[in-house]
């Protein structure tokens, strides 16, 4: 700042300057240190904070720590913690009130200081007047900053009130929990006391009984004591958990009994069917389950050889009134596909104008776990299976390399690496079913006609993947208003 000459200093002393009110109090012994930055911006010099963390930080840290450990603290300790934090919040509220009073006094002081500088600016000229104007701008900037501090103080006060309200409610809840736990403990103590009283009465009666029955009665009393202790130590959640375990075990037993009952009924039906078809020349051998394959076997040496007979497989309707021929299923081996689940299969063997009909003893059962496996695959937008091409357009495929078969929501694709063998959207010309010819691993093979003039026989790694691919493709095609089935199938 410009140095003031002695004459000017004497002039200032002689002139009257507005005095600051004596009733203004200060929180600290000195003003904060400020300096002017660019554009007359007030910059506050950093001050060393030798004090510890503020009371608000301590309350927040304690609240966080309490929330993390509330599962390991007792209800009484929890209530005590909330009471302590509530007292700290009240103390913080009082501190906020003091800051509010100090802020009001600061506004009064800055206003009087600015009035004094304004009065002084009117009496000065030249370089000294510029210094006074700078001082006035600093005072105005300090007033703006003080207003900002007031806004922060109001926000802090609101947060403190909110925190105090929360802690007060939590303290009341904790006290309610303490009273509730106390009532529960009193009830348990009374129950245990009644049990002990009954035991004492039983012991008094035991003294009058004979020595022979004394041992048995003591054992019963020990069991009663153990049961009483178990009831006393056992909490309500553990009771519910034990009941759930017992219910789960009962459900498991009922499910096992049902499976065993169904198995017995199926064996009984197969035995009855075998008795009724003793005189038949042929029978269908194999597990009547999706994922297996069925084979026609001769039962008599007089039965004609199957290689010289004409064979046709049928699906029988649920009421047995209609037979649906399975196109292409004219071999002694047939692997059921998802369309066959719940249906009885029938095979006609024709030799020398004689027709012999054999049927499965029971409807085809679904594969275990196939439904949940398909539900898992339906959550994906695209499912990929590893397959081997067995035939292309009815001709054997010499290469046995592994290809990728993609089943998507809009199309299917067969590829090997970057080479795409076929990629077609679902259309009415597309066909899909289980293989119906005489092929190795028929239960793993699938027939796919991508379009007219292009068909494949694909062999999957497992029977479950083959059936899942058929179900997925038919589900996605049905969403596109396309029904996928085998050649000449009536669906």
């Amino acid at each position: 700042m410009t140095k003031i000459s002695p004459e000017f200093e004497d002039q200032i002393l002689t002139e009257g300057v507005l005095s600051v009110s004596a009733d203004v109090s200060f929180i600290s012994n000195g003003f904060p240190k400020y300096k002017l930055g660019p554009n007359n911006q007030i910059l506050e010099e950093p001050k060393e904070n030798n004090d510890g963390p503020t009371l608000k930080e301590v309350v927040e840290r304690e609240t966080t720590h309490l929330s993390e450990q509330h599962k390991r603290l007792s209800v009484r300790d929890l209530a005590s913690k909330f009471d302590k934090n509530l007292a700290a919040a009240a103390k913080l509220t009082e501190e906020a009130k003091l800051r509010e009073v100090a802020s009001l006094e600061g506004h009064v002081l800055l206003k009087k200081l600015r009035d004094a500088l304004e009065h002084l600016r009117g009496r000065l000229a030249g370089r000294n007047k510029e210094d006074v104007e700078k001082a006035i701008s600093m005072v105005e900037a300090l007033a703006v900053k003080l207003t900002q501090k007031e806004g922060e103080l109001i926000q802090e006060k609101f947060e403190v009130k909110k925190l105090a309200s929360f802690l007060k409610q939590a303290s009341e809840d904790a006290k309610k929990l303490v009273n509730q736990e106390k009532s529960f403990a009193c009830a348990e103590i009374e129950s245990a006391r009644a049990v002990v009283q009954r035991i004492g009465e039983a012991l008094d009666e035991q003294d009058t009984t004979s020595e022979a029955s004394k041992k048995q009665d003591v054992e019963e009393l020990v069991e009663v004591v153990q049961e009483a202790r178990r009831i006393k130590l056992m909490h309500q959640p553990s009771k519910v958990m034990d009941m759930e375990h017992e219910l789960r075990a009962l459900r498991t037993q009922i499910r096992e009994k049902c499976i065993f009952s169904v198995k017995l009924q199926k064996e009984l039906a197969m035995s009855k069917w075998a008795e009724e078809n003793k005189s038949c020349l042929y029978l269908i051998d194999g597990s009547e389950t999706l994922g297996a394959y069925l084979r026609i076997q001769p039962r008599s040496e007089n039965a004609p050889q199957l290689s010289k007979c004409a064979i046709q497989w049928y699906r029988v309707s649920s009421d047995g009134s209609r037979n649906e021929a399975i196109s292409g299923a004219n071999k002694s081996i047939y692997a059921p596909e998802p369309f066959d689940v719940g249906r009885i299969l029938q095979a006609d063997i024709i030799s020398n104008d004689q027709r012999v009909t054999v049927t499965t003893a029971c409807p085809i059962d679904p594969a275990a776990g196939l439904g949940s496996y398909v539900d898992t695959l339906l959550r994906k937008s695209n499912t990929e299976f590893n397959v081997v091409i067995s035939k292309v357009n009815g001709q054997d495929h010499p290469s046995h390399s592994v290809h990728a078969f993609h089943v998507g929501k809009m199309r299917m694709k067969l590829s090997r690496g970057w080479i795409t063998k076929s990629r077609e959207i679902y259309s009415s010309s597309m066909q899909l079913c289980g293989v119906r010819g005489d092929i190795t691993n028929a239960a793993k093979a699938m027939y796919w006609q991508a379009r007219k003039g292009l068909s494949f026989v694909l062999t999957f790694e497992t029977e479950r993947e083959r059936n899942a691919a058929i179900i997925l493709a038919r589900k996605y095609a049905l969403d596109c208003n396309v029904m996928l089935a085998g050649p000449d199938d009536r669906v």
Side-chain angles (χ1 to χ4, degrees), residues 261-326:
S261 176
V262 171
K263 185 177 179 181
L264 288 179
Q265 291 178 2
K266 189 173 181 179
E267 290 179 357
L268 183 61
M270 292 180 66
S271 177
K272 184 177 179 181
W273 175 85
E275 289 292 333
E276 293 175 353
N277 294 274
K278 266 186 179 179
S279 59
C280 187
L281 297 176
Y282 302 94
L283 60 85
I284 296 178
D285 187 23
S287 177
E288 298 169 353
T289 307
L290 182 63
Y293 67 90
L294 304 176
R295 181 189 297 272
I296 301 175
Q297 296 281 13
R299 300 183 62 179
S300 173
E301 295 179 355
N302 299 326
Q305 295 182 3
L306 292 174
S307 59
K308 298 178 181 179
C309 301
I311 301 173
Q312 179 60 53
W313 289 82
Y314 297 89
R315 295 189 186 100
V316 182
S317 60
S318 57
D319 56 0
S321 60
R322 181 170 55 87
N323 295 345
E324 175 188 336
I326 305 174

Side-chain angles (χ1 to χ4, degrees), residues 230-246:
R230 188 182 68 85
I231 293 174
K232 183 179 178 181
L233 297 176
M234 189 168 55
H235 299 288
Q236 295 296 331
S238 60
K239 289 183 180 179
V240 176
M241 191 176 298
D242 292 341
M243 293 176 65
E244 289 180 353
H245 287 314
E246 293 177 1

Side-chain angles (χ1 to χ4, degrees), residues 106-121:
H107 274 291
V108 175
L109 176 62
L110 288 175
K111 185 177 183 304
K112 291 188 177 183
L113 181 60
R114 188 180 182 281
D115 292 341
L117 290 175
E118 287 287 345
H119 180 75
L120 184 62
R121 185 176 61 176

Side-chain angles (χ1 to χ4, degrees), residues 1-17 117 119-132:
M1 185 177 291
T2 307
K3 184 177 181 182
I4 302 175
S5 62
E7 294 79 10
F8 183 78
E9 186 176 1
D10 295 335
Q11 184 180 358
I12 292 177
L13 293 174
T14 57
E15 292 177 356
V17 180
L117 290 175
H119 180 75
L120 184 62
R121 185 176 61 176
R123 295 175 176 270
L124 299 178
R127 185 67 175 270
N128 295 324
K129 185 176 183 179
E130 293 178 359
D131 293 340
V132 172

Side-chain angles (χ1 to χ4, degrees), residues 42-62:
I42 299 298
L43 301 178
E44 183 177 356
E45 293 185 358
K47 57 183 180 179
E48 297 181 358
N49 187 10
N50 296 326
D51 299 334
T54 62
L55 187 59
K56 181 180 177 182
E57 294 176 353
V58 173
V59 171
E60 290 178 352
R61 185 170 66 249
E62 288 294 330

Side-chain angles (χ1 to χ4, degrees), residues 315 337-339 405-412 424-434 436 446-451 469-491:
R315 295 189 186 100
E337 63 159 287
F339 271 162
F405 182 60
H406 301 264
V407 180
K409 294 185 177 181
M410 301 300 296
R411 62 173 60 89
M412 289 194 294
E424 302 292 334
I425 63 174
Y426 297 109
S427 62
S428 57
S429 62
M430 185 179 293
Q431 296 178 357
L432 184 76
C433 64
R436 297 169 180 176
M446 182 187 74
Y447 171 79
W448 178 43
Q449 177 179 298
R451 60 178 182 273
I470 294 175
I471 295 174
L472 280 177
R474 286 175 177 169
K475 171 68 172 59
Y476 292 147
L478 190 61
D479 294 341
C480 299
N481 296 324
V482 176
M483 181 65 71
L484 285 185
D488 301 327
D489 278 351
R490 292 177 293 175
V491 293

